[in-house]
Amino acid sequence: MSRTDRRRYSPLRSGLVAGAGLVLALLALQAPQAAQATDPVNLGGAYVVDRVGVVGTRAAEVQDALDELSQTEGTNLFVVYVDSFTGVADREAWADDTATKNDLGVNDVLLAVSTDDRLYQLSVDPDFALTDAQLSELETTSIQPSLRQNDWAGAAINTASGLSELLDGESVSPPVITPGEAASTAGGGSSVLTWALGGTVVVVAGVVGAVYLRKRSKAKAAEAQSGTDGPSQLELDREVGRLLVQLDDAVKSSEQELGFAIAQFGDDATAAFVQALDSAKEKVRQSFALKQNLDDRTPDSPEDRRAWSLKIIELCTSADAELDAQADAFAALRELEKNPQPSLDAIASGVATARQHIPAAVQTLQSLRATYSANALATVLENPAQAEKLLAYADTTATAVPGLISGGRASEAAVSIQRAQAAVAQSETLLAAVGTLGSALQNAAAALASAVTEATDDIVEARSLLATPQGAPRGAELSPLVATLDSAVTQARESGAADPVAALQALQRANAPLDAALAGVREQAQRTARTQEQLSRTLTAASSTITAVKEYVVTRRGAVSVDARTRIAEAERLLNESYGLQSTDPERALSSATQAYQFAQAADQAARIDVDAFSTYSGQGGYEQGGSGIDGSAMLGGLLGGLLSGGGSSRRSYSGGMFGGSSSWGGGGRSSGSSRSSGSSRSSGSRRSSSSGRSGGRRGGGGRF
């Protein structure tokens, strides 16, 4: 055969081989399937890993259930289906190793299912909110019944639903089960149909094989060109979280430093730094918006998730480079060792003035306690005491400056002055927040009274409509809504005074469905007026909540992770969007304001979890500031975390860490146990000891189904 003939024959020969392979594959499908052992898996950033193919067409339904759990409860459920648990001692070790390998944190739950062995295992962090008894209820009510009837997708959906109910303080409802087939299939040998199909395949295999191989070559070339061999999505997620936390802290520290510099050196000398800081803040805003896209309930393609993650990394590294470009010049402006005394005098004056304000803040807080509940005041209850700790730190640090200078440590003296100034500023913010919250609660109380009146009018309107021949047929639709709203009005009247912000939210949530149902029978002008009233109240509630949470995050930024920061950034974006739509599209504005309020509350919850975790860690000696003049108790809540870990002009650059720069992967940006936290968070101690004695300290039951 000539060389030319061999070249012509080559694609056909490859196609025939491919066709023969297809015939063999058809025969293989007829044969009994052997179980394929599976070691603990890498989730690769996915929430559902189905190595057996049992979820099938219900994948979107499962993902929706997981997204809803994350959105409403702040808990992430990860589900893994494999044929067999191997590579470790038992199913508990398999699930725990998978959780540890993928850095699952306090708010992350793993459900592992072995379909062939008919075993399952639930794995949670020791600090997870549910008790062992509640987890047992989840298993016996939701997980086991679903798996016993081979409802593989339903097991994940019902687990998510059960977790949501338990986290809301309710019992687990009986699950909805769709019986399915076992994952393993018995063999039946070859069939006449298989051989007939095989003959046809062989005939056309040359053409199919040639086309397939040509496409495969093109795909490989495209893959090589696109450079898909890079960090996994899980690695990108970690780097995004680390960079966002570090850059957000750097921007806040730089903003504070800029205020000091402007006051001392004037606008002209700091103009370049102002420009760099404004640019960095805009890139932080864009990055948090992209991070919210990654975290929301809308399913995203792997391509989008990768592109958004890389864009966040690009924005963060660019913003950091801009700030670093000004760092040397800014450090030169702050050569306080040349004349430190004016700054030391200002610190002493600031400490004295702030201490004079503490009794007033304590008195205001006592007055607020007489009216409002602890939950309503949670963000400021400890502010006076923490302000005093910051002032003590500022006083001690400033007092040590002359000794540092006389000892030839002028640079340390300058940094100490910076930190003392920042501590005084944070103490003033903490004290001012008490009065700010008091005003916000008064505004919410006024808005609640108006909302109660409006809800009562809606109830009267609905009942009047139901009494008419035209409205009677809508009884099945309207009566439950009326009853729910009536109950919410009663609750608001009884307990709304103690927490008007929470009561206002609950009442508006109950009123919205009835208001929507009645919208069709109202005049447009009336509907617009009502929408504007609701919008005004919601904007007030959202704005005050966002302000309170921002103050809480800023004063404790050493403890707060990327999740809370992302939610509050999204809340601010939605609030600004609502203000922009207020006059042109009040209904869309109301929707945006409502979402802003919800994101602010989610940020508040996430921040408090982070601060609690940080406080537990620092209380166990996790932080030592030798020679700083402050003990572990003053680190409570991360008050000084941002100041003592790189703030100021001596801040280190982390730019380019992923792609060949100086920083290392997995930097310590997270100290909390919130979702998607670093694995180190699980070593920070437990508020509730594990009853299982398992390695790694994780909890959760399992067994055969």
Side-chain angles (χ1 to χ4, degrees):
M1 181 181 295
S2 68
R3 182 178 303 174
T4 301
D5 289 338
R6 283 198 297 272
R7 284 200 302 266
R8 290 175 179 173
Y9 174 71
S10 180
L12 178 60
R13 179 183 58 192
S14 300
L16 290 172
V17 172
L22 289 173
V23 174
L24 293 175
L26 288 169
L27 293 174
L29 289 174
Q30 304 286 323
Q33 301 296 310
Q36 307 233 345
T38 307
D39 292 348
V41 302
N42 188 329
L43 300 176
Y47 289 87
V48 180
V49 174
D50 184 6
R51 294 284 180 87
V52 196
V54 292
V55 175
T57 59
R58 300 181 67 188
E61 186 181 350
V62 171
Q63 190 62 54
D64 286 345
L66 271 54
D67 288 343
E68 182 175 0
L69 174 66
S70 178
Q71 181 73 17
T72 58
E73 307 296 342
T75 294
N76 296 315
L77 173 61
F78 297 82
V79 188
V80 179
Y81 301 92
V82 296
D83 44 23
S84 184
F85 297 143
T86 61
V88 290
D90 52 31
R91 67 175 192 281
E92 291 181 357
W94 196 98
D96 292 349
D97 282 6
T98 297
T100 302
K101 183 177 183 179
N102 291 276
D103 293 331
L104 300 194
V106 171
N107 294 330
D108 298 331
V109 178
L110 174 68
L111 172 62
V113 180
S114 168
T115 57
D116 285 2
D117 296 337
R118 300 194 71 81
L119 295 171
Y120 78 94
Q121 184 63 42
L122 197 67
S123 178
V124 303
D125 190 272
D127 286 343
F128 185 58
L130 300 182
T131 65
D132 291 340
Q134 289 174 309
L135 293 175
S136 179
E137 178 186 356
L138 176 70
E139 295 165 28
T140 56
T141 306
S142 295
I143 301 176
Q144 292 175 2
S146 302
L147 293 175
R148 282 172 183 158
Q149 298 192 48
N150 301 322
D151 187 4
W152 310 109
I157 296 168
N158 294 330
T159 300
S161 176
L163 283 169
S164 181
E165 290 173 324
L166 289 170
L167 290 168
D168 285 340
E170 304 171 0
S171 299
V172 181
S173 302
V176 177
I177 296 177
T178 304
E181 296 183 359
S184 298
T185 56
S190 60
S191 67
V192 175
L193 177 61
T194 301
W195 287 108
L197 289 174
T200 304
V201 168
V202 171
V203 171
V204 301
V207 177
V208 173
V211 172
Y212 167 76
L213 292 172
R214 188 178 297 114
K215 286 185 176 180
R216 184 182 176 191
S217 297
K218 290 182 178 179
K220 282 188 174 181
E223 181 178 347
Q225 186 174 3
S226 65
T228 55
D229 291 334
S232 68
Q233 186 59 49
L234 180 61
E235 291 171 321
L236 289 174
D237 288 341
R238 291 174 181 166
E239 186 71 355
V240 162
R242 183 180 73 85
L243 292 180
L244 275 174
V245 168
Q246 291 188 1
L247 181 60
D248 194 41
D249 280 344
V251 168
K252 288 182 171 65
S253 296
S254 298
E255 192 172 27
Q256 227 173 27
E257 292 167 356
L258 179 60
F260 300 149
I262 290 175
Q264 188 169 357
F265 301 108
D267 293 333
D268 292 342
T270 55
F273 194 85
V274 170
Q275 183 177 1
L277 182 58
D278 288 342
S279 175
K281 289 163 79 172
E282 173 60 21
K283 289 175 180 176
V284 168
R285 186 196 65 76
Q286 296 176 25
S287 297
F288 275 123
L290 289 170
K291 182 67 167 64
Q292 183 58 44
N293 287 344
L294 291 169
D295 292 351
D296 63 21
R297 297 180 58 189
T298 304
D300 305 313
S301 68
E303 292 79 9
D304 282 344
R305 292 187 64 82
R306 188 174 188 84
W308 291 337
S309 299
L310 291 173
K311 183 62 176 177
I312 292 173
I313 293 168
E314 176 189 345
L315 289 169
C316 288
T317 51
S318 173
D320 181 71
E322 291 174 2
L323 294 177
D324 277 344
Q326 301 298 324
D328 292 340
F330 189 51
L333 290 175
R334 301 203 60 85
E335 290 181 351
L336 295 174
E337 66 271 20
K338 293 181 179 180
N339 188 19
Q341 195 57 48
S343 295
L344 291 174
D345 292 342
I347 291 170
S349 175
V351 169
T353 301
R355 280 186 171 143
Q356 291 175 357
H357 294 158
I358 289 178
V362 171
Q363 186 175 356
T364 300
L365 194 54
Q366 289 175 345
S367 176
L368 292 174
R369 283 186 175 189
T371 304
Y372 304 109
S373 68
N375 186 66
L377 303 173
T379 58
V380 300
L381 281 175
E382 299 179 5
N383 281 22
Q386 292 179 342
E388 176 56 44
K389 290 178 180 178
L390 286 169
L391 294 174
Y393 169 77
D395 202 3
T396 302
T397 303
T399 301
V401 166
L404 292 172
I405 294 175
S406 63
R409 299 158 66 185
S411 297
E412 289 185 45
V415 172
S416 294
I417 291 175
Q418 264 188 345
R419 290 174 174 174
Q421 289 173 323
V424 172
Q426 282 195 202
S427 69
E428 293 170 346
T429 301
L430 286 168
L431 296 175
V434 177
T436 301
L437 181 61
S439 299
L441 290 170
Q442 289 179 352
N443 293 335
L448 178 62
S450 176
V452 167
T453 300
E454 181 181 297
T456 303
D457 291 342
D458 284 351
I459 292 171
V460 171
E461 181 182 352
R463 286 173 174 165
S464 298
L465 177 63
L466 291 173
T468 65
Q470 297 83 1
R474 300 183 64 186
E477 172 194 1
L478 296 179
S479 294
L481 301 180
V482 170
T484 299
L485 183 56
D486 196 22
S487 175
V489 168
T490 300
Q491 184 67 25
R493 285 172 172 163
E494 291 177 352
S495 60
D499 193 349
V501 173
L504 179 61
Q505 182 199 21
L507 186 58
Q508 293 197 156
R509 187 167 57 242
N511 196 11
L514 181 60
D515 191 64
L518 295 174
V521 298
R522 292 172 175 155
E523 294 294 334
Q524 180 62 39
Q526 182 184 7
R527 291 203 299 270
T528 301
R530 291 175 61 82
T531 299
Q532 288 285 10
E533 291 175 5
Q534 290 180 331
L535 175 59
S536 177
R537 289 196 302 272
T538 305
L539 284 172
T540 298
S543 179
S544 61
T545 302
I546 288 171
T547 299
V549 176
K550 282 185 66 179
E551 289 174 341
Y552 187 80
V553 170
V554 167
T555 54
R556 297 161 177 84
R557 61 181 181 268
V560 178
S561 68
V562 67
D563 297 322
R565 298 166 192 258
T566 301
R567 306 300 177 265
I568 200 64
E570 181 67 5
E572 286 189 284
R573 185 191 71 78
L574 289 165
L575 183 66
N576 292 332
E577 179 181 279
S578 179
Y579 278 122
L581 295 169
Q582 191 171 8
S583 59
T584 58
D585 193 344
E587 291 186 359
R588 280 185 59 199
L590 177 59
S591 175
S592 295
T594 301
Q595 292 180 64
Y597 188 29
Q598 293 169 346
F599 275 111
Q601 287 192 311
D604 183 34
Q605 181 183 18
R608 292 195 205 181
I609 290 173
D610 288 341
V611 170
D612 286 345
F614 186 96
S615 300
T616 300
Y617 185 48
S618 61
Q620 295 172 346
Y623 291 89
E624 297 181 1
Q625 296 296 332
S628 67
I630 186 168
D631 59 16
S633 63
M635 293 296 296
L636 180 64
L639 289 171
L640 293 173
L643 306 180
L644 302 178
S645 60
S649 58
S650 60
R651 163 179 88 76
R652 294 190 303 270
S653 170
Y654 57 85
S655 60
M658 274 187 62
F659 305 107
S662 59
S663 68
S664 62
W665 279 85
R670 297 288 295 269
S671 61
S672 76
S674 62
S675 59
R676 299 183 185 179
S677 65
S678 68
S680 62
S681 65
R682 288 193 295 275
S683 65
S684 62
S686 170
R687 290 186 294 273
R688 178 175 59 247
S689 62
S690 171
S691 62
S692 65
R694 285 150 59 175
S695 61
R698 296 184 68 83
R699 298 185 294 126
R704 190 169 297 280
F705 58 86

